[in-house]
């Protein structure tokens, strides 16, 4: 399971935490959570891959919001935590073995933006609402529509 899914999960986590060191720590936690909660996976609610991506995303967001991580940020020097977009894009392309970026690019820009903010940058729906200056209800509706459209597009790629 690790060999098959680690690359994709690593890419999702890296886009959220933006640090290889933290990503390596989080990926271990993610696989432990998957292992310990495999009995909770329900095939009628979605694909196994989607279930794992959600665990990875939520774990990465939880890590960013943890007090320990916030304290570490305060103690780091600036060069240690500079966002390196070239490094991230290389890693992301390596982990995109299912061609998800190609599918995502077929969505309308507003739908791409919502999915990017929520799943790759770790924003909550409340944070997206504030960032884009649109009502929370609109964010929820647009996100739901974006995920439905994405689901339909992914069915076509199988």
């Amino acid at each position: 399971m690790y060999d098959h899914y680690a690359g994709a999960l690593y890419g999702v986590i890296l886009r959220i935490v933006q640090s290889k060191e933290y990503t390596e720590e989080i990926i271990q936690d993610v696989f432990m959570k998957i292992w310990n909660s495999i009995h909770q996976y329900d095939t009628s609610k979605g694909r196994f891959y989607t279930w794992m991506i959600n665990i990875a995303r939520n774990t990465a967001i939880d890590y960013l919001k943890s007090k320990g991580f916030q304290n570490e940020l305060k103690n780091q020097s600036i060069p240690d935590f500079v966002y390196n977009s070239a490094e991230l894009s290389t890693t992301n392309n390596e982990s995109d073995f299912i061609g998800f970026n190609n599918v995502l690019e077929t969505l309308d820009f507003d739908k791409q933006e919502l999915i990017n903010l929520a799943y790759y940058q770790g924003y909550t729906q409340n944070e997206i609402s504030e960032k884009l200056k649109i009502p929370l209800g609109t964010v929820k509706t647009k996100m739901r529509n974006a995920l439905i459209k994405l689901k339909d597009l992914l069915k076509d790629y199988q």
Side-chain angles (χ1 to χ4, degrees), residues 80-113:
D80 291 340
F81 202 70
V82 173
Y83 180 87
N84 185 344
S85 61
E87 184 179 318
L88 289 178
S89 63
T90 302
T91 303
N92 183 42
N93 289 339
E94 291 172 4
S95 66
D96 187 28
F97 64 90
I98 64 167
F100 186 74
N101 287 336
N102 294 336
V103 176
L104 192 59
E105 288 173 359
T106 63
L107 290 175
D108 296 334
F109 176 76
D110 62 328
K111 290 180 173 78
Q112 284 182 38
E113 183 177 34

mmCIF file of all heavy atoms in Angstrom, residues 80-113:
data_model
loop_
_atom_site.group_PDB
_atom_site.id
_atom_site.type_symbol
_atom_site.label_atom_id
_atom_site.label_comp_id
_atom_site.label_asym_id
_atom_site.label_seq_id
_atom_site.Cartn_x
_atom_site.Cartn_y
_atom_site.Cartn_z
ATOM 1 N N ASP A 80 15.050 28.922 6.755
ATOM 2 C CA ASP A 80 14.614 27.545 6.942
ATOM 3 C C ASP A 80 13.189 27.304 6.473
ATOM 4 O O ASP A 80 12.800 26.172 6.241
ATOM 5 C CB ASP A 80 14.706 27.136 8.419
ATOM 6 C CG ASP A 80 16.141 27.034 8.875
ATOM 7 O OD1 ASP A 80 17.030 26.908 8.009
ATOM 8 O OD2 ASP A 80 16.364 27.093 10.100
ATOM 9 N N PHE A 81 12.405 28.355 6.367
ATOM 10 C CA PHE A 81 10.997 28.141 6.043
ATOM 11 C C PHE A 81 10.534 28.962 4.839
ATOM 12 O O PHE A 81 9.398 29.328 4.721
ATOM 13 C CB PHE A 81 10.118 28.469 7.266
ATOM 14 C CG PHE A 81 8.786 27.791 7.211
ATOM 15 C CD1 PHE A 81 8.697 26.428 7.373
ATOM 16 C CD2 PHE A 81 7.626 28.501 6.966
ATOM 17 C CE1 PHE A 81 7.477 25.786 7.313
ATOM 18 C CE2 PHE A 81 6.398 27.864 6.895
ATOM 19 C CZ PHE A 81 6.324 26.504 7.077
ATOM 20 N N VAL A 82 11.461 29.260 3.944
ATOM 21 C CA VAL A 82 11.108 30.008 2.743
ATOM 22 C C VAL A 82 10.426 29.063 1.768
ATOM 23 O O VAL A 82 10.865 27.953 1.544
ATOM 24 C CB VAL A 82 12.363 30.638 2.105
ATOM 25 C CG1 VAL A 82 12.047 31.273 0.775
ATOM 26 C CG2 VAL A 82 12.958 31.654 3.051
ATOM 27 N N TYR A 83 9.344 29.522 1.192
ATOM 28 C CA TYR A 83 8.559 28.734 0.230
ATOM 29 C C TYR A 83 9.358 28.592 -1.043
ATOM 30 O O TYR A 83 9.756 29.576 -1.659
ATOM 31 C CB TYR A 83 7.241 29.468 -0.016
ATOM 32 C CG TYR A 83 6.321 28.792 -0.982
ATOM 33 C CD1 TYR A 83 5.417 27.831 -0.548
ATOM 34 C CD2 TYR A 83 6.341 29.110 -2.318
ATOM 35 C CE1 TYR A 83 4.571 27.218 -1.437
ATOM 36 C CE2 TYR A 83 5.494 28.503 -3.212
ATOM 37 C CZ TYR A 83 4.613 27.568 -2.763
ATOM 38 O OH TYR A 83 3.765 26.950 -3.645
ATOM 39 N N ASN A 84 9.600 27.373 -1.449
ATOM 40 C CA ASN A 84 10.357 27.111 -2.652
ATOM 41 C C ASN A 84 9.430 26.487 -3.679
ATOM 42 O O ASN A 84 9.271 25.276 -3.733
ATOM 43 C CB ASN A 84 11.534 26.186 -2.332
ATOM 44 C CG ASN A 84 12.438 25.966 -3.528
ATOM 45 O OD1 ASN A 84 12.074 26.247 -4.662
ATOM 46 N ND2 ASN A 84 13.632 25.471 -3.265
ATOM 47 N N SER A 85 8.823 27.299 -4.521
ATOM 48 C CA SER A 85 7.807 26.798 -5.444
ATOM 49 C C SER A 85 8.392 25.862 -6.499
ATOM 50 O O SER A 85 7.743 24.931 -6.934
ATOM 51 C CB SER A 85 7.059 27.953 -6.115
ATOM 52 O OG SER A 85 7.967 28.743 -6.863
ATOM 53 N N ALA A 86 9.633 26.083 -6.907
ATOM 54 C CA ALA A 86 10.236 25.198 -7.900
ATOM 55 C C ALA A 86 10.394 23.795 -7.331
ATOM 56 O O ALA A 86 10.104 22.803 -7.984
ATOM 57 C CB ALA A 86 11.592 25.746 -8.342
ATOM 58 N N GLU A 87 10.840 23.721 -6.087
ATOM 59 C CA GLU A 87 11.009 22.423 -5.435
ATOM 60 C C GLU A 87 9.667 21.721 -5.272
ATOM 61 O O GLU A 87 9.536 20.532 -5.511
ATOM 62 C CB GLU A 87 11.659 22.637 -4.073
ATOM 63 C CG GLU A 87 11.967 21.376 -3.329
ATOM 64 C CD GLU A 87 12.635 21.666 -2.003
ATOM 65 O OE1 GLU A 87 13.508 22.531 -1.942
ATOM 66 O OE2 GLU A 87 12.265 20.999 -1.022
ATOM 67 N N LEU A 88 8.646 22.456 -4.882
ATOM 68 C CA LEU A 88 7.324 21.860 -4.679
ATOM 69 C C LEU A 88 6.724 21.379 -5.990
ATOM 70 O O LEU A 88 6.125 20.327 -6.054
ATOM 71 C CB LEU A 88 6.377 22.879 -4.033
ATOM 72 C CG LEU A 88 6.662 23.216 -2.578
ATOM 73 C CD1 LEU A 88 5.674 24.267 -2.090
ATOM 74 C CD2 LEU A 88 6.573 21.991 -1.715
ATOM 75 N N SER A 89 6.895 22.148 -7.040
ATOM 76 C CA SER A 89 6.283 21.744 -8.306
ATOM 77 C C SER A 89 6.946 20.485 -8.850
ATOM 78 O O SER A 89 6.295 19.645 -9.440
ATOM 79 C CB SER A 89 6.341 22.880 -9.329
ATOM 80 O OG SER A 89 7.680 23.207 -9.629
ATOM 81 N N THR A 90 8.254 20.331 -8.640
ATOM 82 C CA THR A 90 8.939 19.118 -9.075
ATOM 83 C C THR A 90 8.401 17.907 -8.320
ATOM 84 O O THR A 90 8.062 16.898 -8.927
ATOM 85 C CB THR A 90 10.456 19.239 -8.822
ATOM 86 O OG1 THR A 90 10.925 20.377 -9.534
ATOM 87 C CG2 THR A 90 11.179 18.002 -9.276
ATOM 88 N N THR A 91 8.278 18.021 -7.018
ATOM 89 C CA THR A 91 7.778 16.919 -6.218
ATOM 90 C C THR A 91 6.345 16.596 -6.595
ATOM 91 O O THR A 91 5.972 15.449 -6.713
ATOM 92 C CB THR A 91 7.848 17.259 -4.717
ATOM 93 O OG1 THR A 91 9.197 17.588 -4.414
ATOM 94 C CG2 THR A 91 7.399 16.102 -3.872
ATOM 95 N N ASN A 92 5.544 17.644 -6.820
ATOM 96 C CA ASN A 92 4.150 17.433 -7.159
ATOM 97 C C ASN A 92 4.008 16.681 -8.473
ATOM 98 O O ASN A 92 3.189 15.798 -8.611
ATOM 99 C CB ASN A 92 3.403 18.765 -7.230
ATOM 100 C CG ASN A 92 1.948 18.574 -7.518
ATOM 101 O OD1 ASN A 92 1.315 17.684 -6.960
ATOM 102 N ND2 ASN A 92 1.413 19.383 -8.394
ATOM 103 N N ASN A 93 4.838 17.031 -9.469
ATOM 104 C CA ASN A 93 4.747 16.350 -10.758
ATOM 105 C C ASN A 93 5.131 14.880 -10.620
ATOM 106 O O ASN A 93 4.545 14.029 -11.264
ATOM 107 C CB ASN A 93 5.652 17.032 -11.784
ATOM 108 C CG ASN A 93 5.109 18.388 -12.197
ATOM 109 O OD1 ASN A 93 3.916 18.662 -12.044
ATOM 110 N ND2 ASN A 93 5.983 19.245 -12.688
ATOM 111 N N GLU A 94 6.101 14.581 -9.768
ATOM 112 C CA GLU A 94 6.502 13.198 -9.565
ATOM 113 C C GLU A 94 5.400 12.389 -8.892
ATOM 114 O O GLU A 94 5.247 11.217 -9.135
ATOM 115 C CB GLU A 94 7.764 13.135 -8.706
ATOM 116 C CG GLU A 94 8.991 13.657 -9.411
ATOM 117 C CD GLU A 94 10.189 13.773 -8.496
ATOM 118 O OE1 GLU A 94 10.085 13.376 -7.315
ATOM 119 O OE2 GLU A 94 11.219 14.269 -8.958
ATOM 120 N N SER A 95 4.639 13.029 -8.017
ATOM 121 C CA SER A 95 3.624 12.297 -7.272
ATOM 122 C C SER A 95 2.285 12.260 -7.993
ATOM 123 O O SER A 95 1.344 11.648 -7.518
ATOM 124 C CB SER A 95 3.443 12.914 -5.886
ATOM 125 O OG SER A 95 2.910 14.214 -6.006
ATOM 126 N N ASP A 96 2.177 12.905 -9.136
ATOM 127 C CA ASP A 96 0.911 12.973 -9.856
ATOM 128 C C ASP A 96 0.822 11.825 -10.865
ATOM 129 O O ASP A 96 0.603 12.036 -12.047
ATOM 130 C CB ASP A 96 0.780 14.331 -10.566
ATOM 131 C CG ASP A 96 -0.586 14.527 -11.194
ATOM 132 O OD1 ASP A 96 -1.563 13.944 -10.688
ATOM 133 O OD2 ASP A 96 -0.668 15.252 -12.193
ATOM 134 N N PHE A 97 0.979 10.599 -10.388
ATOM 135 C CA PHE A 97 1.020 9.459 -11.285
ATOM 136 C C PHE A 97 -0.330 9.102 -11.881
ATOM 137 O O PHE A 97 -0.389 8.348 -12.830
ATOM 138 C CB PHE A 97 1.651 8.235 -10.594
ATOM 139 C CG PHE A 97 0.858 7.720 -9.427
ATOM 140 C CD1 PHE A 97 -0.107 6.762 -9.609
ATOM 141 C CD2 PHE A 97 1.090 8.198 -8.151
ATOM 142 C CE1 PHE A 97 -0.835 6.273 -8.534
ATOM 143 C CE2 PHE A 97 0.376 7.720 -7.084
ATOM 144 C CZ PHE A 97 -0.594 6.763 -7.275
ATOM 145 N N ILE A 98 -1.422 9.632 -11.360
ATOM 146 C CA ILE A 98 -2.723 9.339 -11.950
ATOM 147 C C ILE A 98 -3.173 10.439 -12.901
ATOM 148 O O ILE A 98 -4.246 10.377 -13.473
ATOM 149 C CB ILE A 98 -3.814 9.118 -10.875
ATOM 150 C CG1 ILE A 98 -4.051 10.381 -10.065
ATOM 151 C CG2 ILE A 98 -3.491 7.938 -10.010
ATOM 152 C CD1 ILE A 98 -5.297 10.320 -9.216
ATOM 153 N N GLY A 99 -2.347 11.491 -13.094
ATOM 154 C CA GLY A 99 -2.684 12.563 -14.004
ATOM 155 C C GLY A 99 -3.746 13.499 -13.471
ATOM 156 O O GLY A 99 -4.482 14.117 -14.237
ATOM 157 N N PHE A 100 -3.813 13.629 -12.165
ATOM 158 C CA PHE A 100 -4.856 14.437 -11.554
ATOM 159 C C PHE A 100 -4.775 15.898 -11.980
ATOM 160 O O PHE A 100 -5.791 16.560 -12.171
ATOM 161 C CB PHE A 100 -4.804 14.326 -10.032
ATOM 162 C CG PHE A 100 -5.943 15.020 -9.350
ATOM 163 C CD1 PHE A 100 -7.205 14.464 -9.368
ATOM 164 C CD2 PHE A 100 -5.756 16.239 -8.727
ATOM 165 C CE1 PHE A 100 -8.267 15.096 -8.758
ATOM 166 C CE2 PHE A 100 -6.810 16.877 -8.108
ATOM 167 C CZ PHE A 100 -8.068 16.308 -8.130
ATOM 168 N N ASN A 101 -3.553 16.418 -12.134
ATOM 169 C CA ASN A 101 -3.415 17.821 -12.551
ATOM 170 C C ASN A 101 -4.058 18.063 -13.909
ATOM 171 O O ASN A 101 -4.654 19.118 -14.135
ATOM 172 C CB ASN A 101 -1.952 18.238 -12.573
ATOM 173 C CG ASN A 101 -1.394 18.403 -11.178
ATOM 174 O OD1 ASN A 101 -2.136 18.638 -10.234
ATOM 175 N ND2 ASN A 101 -0.094 18.285 -11.037
ATOM 176 N N ASN A 102 -3.953 17.102 -14.819
ATOM 177 C CA ASN A 102 -4.582 17.250 -16.130
ATOM 178 C C ASN A 102 -6.098 17.304 -16.012
ATOM 179 O O ASN A 102 -6.762 18.063 -16.715
ATOM 180 C CB ASN A 102 -4.188 16.102 -17.058
ATOM 181 C CG ASN A 102 -2.715 16.119 -17.389
ATOM 182 O OD1 ASN A 102 -2.063 17.150 -17.319
ATOM 183 N ND2 ASN A 102 -2.183 14.966 -17.738
ATOM 184 N N VAL A 103 -6.647 16.491 -15.127
ATOM 185 C CA VAL A 103 -8.098 16.491 -14.904
ATOM 186 C C VAL A 103 -8.518 17.810 -14.275
ATOM 187 O O VAL A 103 -9.499 18.427 -14.696
ATOM 188 C CB VAL A 103 -8.516 15.302 -14.000
ATOM 189 C CG1 VAL A 103 -10.001 15.351 -13.694
ATOM 190 C CG2 VAL A 103 -8.154 13.981 -14.652
ATOM 191 N N LEU A 104 -7.761 18.258 -13.298
ATOM 192 C CA LEU A 104 -8.084 19.501 -12.601
ATOM 193 C C LEU A 104 -8.081 20.693 -13.552
ATOM 194 O O LEU A 104 -8.915 21.585 -13.443
ATOM 195 C CB LEU A 104 -7.092 19.717 -11.454
ATOM 196 C CG LEU A 104 -7.403 20.792 -10.439
ATOM 197 C CD1 LEU A 104 -8.750 20.520 -9.769
ATOM 198 C CD2 LEU A 104 -6.318 20.874 -9.392
ATOM 199 N N GLU A 105 -7.176 20.690 -14.509
ATOM 200 C CA GLU A 105 -7.076 21.801 -15.461
ATOM 201 C C GLU A 105 -8.272 21.892 -16.392
ATOM 202 O O GLU A 105 -8.499 22.934 -16.993
ATOM 203 C CB GLU A 105 -5.782 21.685 -16.268
ATOM 204 C CG GLU A 105 -4.547 21.998 -15.443
ATOM 205 C CD GLU A 105 -3.249 21.728 -16.177
ATOM 206 O OE1 GLU A 105 -3.300 21.273 -17.357
ATOM 207 O OE2 GLU A 105 -2.189 21.966 -15.584
ATOM 208 N N THR A 106 -9.052 20.841 -16.502
ATOM 209 C CA THR A 106 -10.231 20.890 -17.366
ATOM 210 C C THR A 106 -11.418 21.577 -16.682
ATOM 211 O O THR A 106 -12.396 21.901 -17.344
ATOM 212 C CB THR A 106 -10.660 19.482 -17.833
ATOM 213 O OG1 THR A 106 -11.026 18.709 -16.695
ATOM 214 C CG2 THR A 106 -9.547 18.795 -18.603
ATOM 215 N N LEU A 107 -11.319 21.796 -15.381
ATOM 216 C CA LEU A 107 -12.386 22.490 -14.653
ATOM 217 C C LEU A 107 -12.328 23.993 -14.941
ATOM 218 O O LEU A 107 -11.285 24.528 -15.303
ATOM 219 C CB LEU A 107 -12.226 22.300 -13.141
ATOM 220 C CG LEU A 107 -12.491 20.920 -12.571
ATOM 221 C CD1 LEU A 107 -12.147 20.909 -11.086
ATOM 222 C CD2 LEU A 107 -13.931 20.516 -12.762
ATOM 223 N N ASP A 108 -13.447 24.675 -14.733
ATOM 224 C CA ASP A 108 -13.473 26.126 -14.814
ATOM 225 C C ASP A 108 -12.515 26.693 -13.776
ATOM 226 O O ASP A 108 -12.287 26.078 -12.727
ATOM 227 C CB ASP A 108 -14.884 26.668 -14.545
ATOM 228 C CG ASP A 108 -15.894 26.219 -15.603
ATOM 229 O OD1 ASP A 108 -15.472 25.936 -16.750
ATOM 230 O OD2 ASP A 108 -17.088 26.152 -15.268
ATOM 231 N N PHE A 109 -12.008 27.893 -14.033
ATOM 232 C CA PHE A 109 -11.009 28.480 -13.139
ATOM 233 C C PHE A 109 -11.504 28.595 -11.705
ATOM 234 O O PHE A 109 -10.769 28.292 -10.763
ATOM 235 C CB PHE A 109 -10.564 29.865 -13.640
ATOM 236 C CG PHE A 109 -9.614 30.530 -12.693
ATOM 237 C CD1 PHE A 109 -8.288 30.123 -12.622
ATOM 238 C CD2 PHE A 109 -10.051 31.530 -11.832
ATOM 239 C CE1 PHE A 109 -7.417 30.716 -11.729
ATOM 240 C CE2 PHE A 109 -9.178 32.128 -10.937
ATOM 241 C CZ PHE A 109 -7.861 31.724 -10.888
ATOM 242 N N ASP A 110 -12.748 29.023 -11.505
ATOM 243 C CA ASP A 110 -13.241 29.201 -10.133
ATOM 244 C C ASP A 110 -13.293 27.877 -9.382
ATOM 245 O O ASP A 110 -13.003 27.811 -8.187
ATOM 246 C CB ASP A 110 -14.600 29.910 -10.111
ATOM 247 C CG ASP A 110 -15.696 29.146 -10.824
ATOM 248 O OD1 ASP A 110 -15.399 28.433 -11.806
ATOM 249 O OD2 ASP A 110 -16.864 29.274 -10.407
ATOM 250 N N LYS A 111 -13.630 26.795 -10.091
ATOM 251 C CA LYS A 111 -13.647 25.474 -9.457
ATOM 252 C C LYS A 111 -12.226 25.004 -9.147
ATOM 253 O O LYS A 111 -11.963 24.433 -8.086
ATOM 254 C CB LYS A 111 -14.361 24.471 -10.360
ATOM 255 C CG LYS A 111 -15.863 24.699 -10.460
ATOM 256 C CD LYS A 111 -16.499 23.667 -11.382
ATOM 257 C CE LYS A 111 -17.993 23.745 -11.379
ATOM 258 N NZ LYS A 111 -18.549 24.818 -12.168
ATOM 259 N N GLN A 112 -11.283 25.253 -10.073
ATOM 260 C CA GLN A 112 -9.879 24.912 -9.833
ATOM 261 C C GLN A 112 -9.356 25.643 -8.609
ATOM 262 O O GLN A 112 -8.661 25.062 -7.771
ATOM 263 C CB GLN A 112 -9.012 25.335 -11.024
ATOM 264 C CG GLN A 112 -9.082 24.463 -12.231
ATOM 265 C CD GLN A 112 -8.142 24.981 -13.318
ATOM 266 O OE1 GLN A 112 -7.055 25.441 -13.040
ATOM 267 N NE2 GLN A 112 -8.594 24.911 -14.554
ATOM 268 N N GLU A 113 -9.697 26.919 -8.518
ATOM 269 C CA GLU A 113 -9.217 27.742 -7.415
ATOM 270 C C GLU A 113 -9.711 27.207 -6.072
ATOM 271 O O GLU A 113 -8.940 27.096 -5.113
ATOM 272 C CB GLU A 113 -9.682 29.192 -7.608
ATOM 273 C CG GLU A 113 -9.179 30.145 -6.558
ATOM 274 C CD GLU A 113 -9.606 31.567 -6.817
ATOM 275 O OE1 GLU A 113 -10.724 31.785 -7.345
ATOM 276 O OE2 GLU A 113 -8.836 32.466 -6.479
#
